[in-house]
Amino acid sequence: MELIESHLCFGGEQRRYKHGSAVLGCEMTVSVFLPPDFGSHTPVLYWLSGLTCTDENFVQKAGAQRLAAELGLAIVAPDTSPRGEAVADDEGYDLGKGAGFYVNATQAPWASHYRMDDYIVKELPPLIEALGLGSRRGISGHSMGGHGALVLALRNRDFYGSVSAFSPISNPVNCPWGKKAFGAYLGDNPADWESYDASLLLADAKAPWPVRVDVGLKDNFLEEQLRVEALEAAAAQSGSELTVHRQSGYDHSYFFVASFMEAHLRFHAAQLK
């Protein structure tokens, strides 16, 4: 990876890299926070952002670096989709660039670039660990990224040691955002969508780790798009340890994410250390 930006931050470094992605067939950027004295002992938290975001939204708005430095956590924030002139796009904000949904697309014209599942799980970790970091991994995210964090953890239960989410799209096969994206990326058959639905995956088998979810009760998307009650029902069915924190007065914004970032970072540090 080529370092394109670096800033000293709470004794650590906030870096930004670019690299060619063989999986996505384009150049990608990724932001990486390295705590002081990082090394092979340092666990890595992968952060997946939501619709319209890039790798920079989290590092600029979440306020995570101070505590991550204290806890000795590295944080990796990749982009939300492939980028570039050759990459297919859509006029809507909820499909195409900025809206990869962390799936491996199977349908044209998306399949040639939109393979965010393989990128996050298979291609990116070796690049990150080559910086000298350890192989203990957690994953978290917000909204579309909360969906991604839950789904990728549940699809790769031995790969991640901790998982949490803010405002996750919890049951995408039954919400407008999910139906639109999955129909485009995965095809018209809803049965082909099920392996990327966190509620269905959680209902199928008990999670090997506790799961933390936070949602704001003034989130405009709470009932129609997020459907966290489906995730709770799934956890009850499989006997999984899921805690949903419903935060009174909070909305869907990064103000909400920043307000509870400390709790999530301490949650991951406890699991990974």
Side-chain angles (χ1 to χ4, degrees), residues 39-45 72-75 133-134 136-137 272-273:
S40 60
H41 60 284
T42 304
V44 181
L45 177 63
L73 276 177
I75 304 179
L133 294 167
R136 287 172 296 157
R137 311 171 194 91
L272 296 174
K273 292 190 172 184

Side-chain angles (χ1 to χ4, degrees), residues 15-170:
R15 298 181 180 179
R16 195 176 192 219
Y17 291 92
K18 66 179 180 180
H19 71 97
S21 169
V23 167
L24 303 178
C26 64
E27 186 174 83
M28 294 292 286
T29 57
V30 56
S31 291
V32 181
F33 176 74
L34 299 172
D37 303 317
F38 73 91
S40 60
H41 60 284
T42 304
V44 181
L45 177 63
Y46 287 82
W47 173 268
L48 306 184
S49 291
L51 289 166
T52 75
C53 290
T54 69
D55 61 292
E56 294 188 290
N57 294 74
F58 173 83
V59 299
Q60 294 173 353
K61 295 180 178 181
Q65 291 93 337
R66 178 194 60 78
L67 187 59
E70 177 185 319
L71 295 173
L73 276 177
I75 304 179
V76 175
D79 204 345
T80 53
S81 76
R83 303 283 180 173
E85 292 184 4
V87 175
D89 200 8
D90 185 83
E91 292 182 358
Y93 75 95
D94 51 358
L95 186 67
K97 294 177 185 177
F101 270 83
Y102 305 102
V103 304
N104 286 338
T106 60
Q107 305 298 303
W110 313 103
S112 57
H113 294 285
Y114 284 76
R115 302 190 61 80
M116 291 297 293
D117 178 346
D118 282 350
Y119 175 68
I120 298 297
V121 178
K122 296 180 180 179
E123 186 174 35
L124 191 56
L127 298 175
I128 296 301
E129 289 157 25
L131 300 175
L133 294 167
S135 59
R136 287 172 296 157
R137 311 171 194 91
I139 191 165
S140 186
H142 174 232
S143 193
M144 177 186 73
H147 142 76
L150 294 172
V151 164
L152 296 186
L154 290 167
R155 285 168 60 93
N156 302 276
R157 297 172 183 232
D158 295 331
F159 193 72
Y160 297 102
S162 61
V163 59
S164 75
F166 292 83
S167 313
I169 303 171
S170 302

